[in-house]
DNA sequence: GATTAAATAAGAATTATTCCTATTTACAAG
DNA sequence: CTTGTAAATAGGAATAATTCTTATTTAATC
């Protein structure tokens, strides 16, 4: 898994400054390496340490980290968009625990199964996600 | 495919009133049987005929139609939630055209492929959607 | 036609996100 | 170490989607 040093390098390597607010945002994701976090969660933790950091800055920073592949977006239906520290660079999908919010990578991708069955439709993207309960949450009542 | 009469019956059968605004909302979906519509699109068409209908009413009506299985929610990532007239009662997924917005049913479901591979995780729900360009949109430049 | 619970309109309130702009800062060059 | 400069930020206003509140209206029943 990627570490803090590499994130700083990736930022600078792409020509971005390594600022205080950006470090705070990065730290939040490393503090919860498997959780799915809404921007407002990230903002709350950041402001816990530095109350004057603006929402706008956190939104922009998270978007930047997404562009750099440091965090991944997770598409829950209703709620606000969530993110987690990227679990890998290869293509993968996710198992999402509906109780504790843990997000685990799933290597299997169903795309090959379907590519022949959609004559005439040219696929450029897809989404596949599984929702349920992780081992730990099944055992705790 | 379901028709207007059946929708009215389903409403009344479940104890709901068949009101003017509800009829207008239903008509919008029948007028675009394959399109994906955001609530604001539905609202705009409804207000075209009856300008005083409130957003709240349209939101509540669409939610009700979803509960009754008349319309299906479609999960696009960023944008507002969208809906289309349900394309069937059996479990299925969707092909979504990124240009014209057409939404076509896909019978294949990848769930069986994965159920053995996720030891310890109990799946209760899943999402699978394909995005791309439909035949017509591929041919028009 | 009268009764009544359900539904609606209108506007306020919330929530997530983006925009605006004056000020600050990371970083590099001297 | 200073200084110059573009990039980044703070703070507050603006937008957009959705929900809430409450007084009024109405579909369905009697
Ligand atoms: Mn991942
Ligand atoms: Mn469908
Ligand atoms: Zn895939
Ligand atoms: Zn399925």
């Amino acid at each position: 898994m990627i570490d803090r040093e590499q994130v700083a390098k990736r930022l600078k390597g792409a020509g971005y400054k390594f600022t205080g607010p950006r470090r705070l945002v990065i730290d939040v994701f490393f503090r919860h390496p498997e959780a799915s976090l809404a921007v407002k969660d990230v903002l709350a933790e950041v402001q816990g340490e530095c109350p004057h950091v603006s929402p706008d800055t956190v939104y922009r920073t998270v978007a930047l980290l997404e562009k750099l592949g440091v965090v991944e977006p997770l598409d829950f239906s209703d709620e606000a968009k969530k993110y987690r520290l990227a679990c890998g660079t290869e293509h993968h999908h996710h198992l999402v625990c509906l109780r504790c919010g843990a997000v685990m990578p799933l290597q299997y991708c169903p795309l090959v199964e379907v590519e022949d069955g959609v004559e005439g439709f040219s696929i450029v993207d897809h989404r596949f996600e599984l929702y349920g309960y992780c081992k730990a949450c099944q055992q705790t009542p």
Side-chain angles (χ1 to χ4, degrees), chain A:
Chain A
M1 175 159 292
I2 195 172
D3 64 21
R4 282 184 184 69
E5 306 301 312
Q6 291 185 314
V7 176
K9 268 184 197 136
R10 216 182 281 188
L11 262 180
K12 292 182 184 176
Y16 296 100
K17 296 181 181 175
F18 187 62
T19 66
R22 283 178 178 166
R23 186 180 57 71
L24 291 174
V25 169
I26 292 163
D27 284 351
V28 172
F29 282 104
F30 276 99
R31 231 177 279 133
H32 309 280
E34 207 169 77
S36 52
L37 302 171
V39 178
K40 80 160 183 293
D41 304 323
V42 178
L43 178 65
E45 282 205 36
V46 166
Q47 290 188 330
E49 304 183 59
C50 217
H52 61 84
V53 173
S54 77
D56 190 52
T57 295
V58 175
Y59 274 97
R60 277 183 294 102
T61 300
V62 172
L64 176 60
L65 294 176
E66 178 182 358
K67 193 169 76 173
L68 296 174
V70 175
V71 303
E72 296 177 295
L74 301 162
D75 299 299
F76 293 81
S77 7
D78 295 355
E79 317 149 43
K81 202 172 175 184
K82 290 187 174 176
Y83 300 85
R84 64 157 287 167
L85 206 51
C87 29
T89 52
E90 348 71 60
H91 178 75
H92 64 278
H93 298 277
H94 294 114
L95 304 170
V96 179
C97 180
L98 296 169
R99 190 165 182 231
C100 72
V103 179
M104 290 145 285
L106 173 75
Q107 293 309 318
Y108 176 75
C109 171
L111 201 54
V112 288
E113 303 291 335
V114 91
E115 272 168 335
D116 298 327
V118 295
E119 270 310 309
F121 190 91
S122 94
I123 301 171
V124 303
D125 199 5
H126 65 288
R127 193 181 315 169
F128 181 48
E129 276 167 22
L130 300 173
Y131 304 91
Y133 298 97
C134 71
K135 210 161 200 168
C137 285
Q138 284 174 65
Q139 290 164 353
T140 331

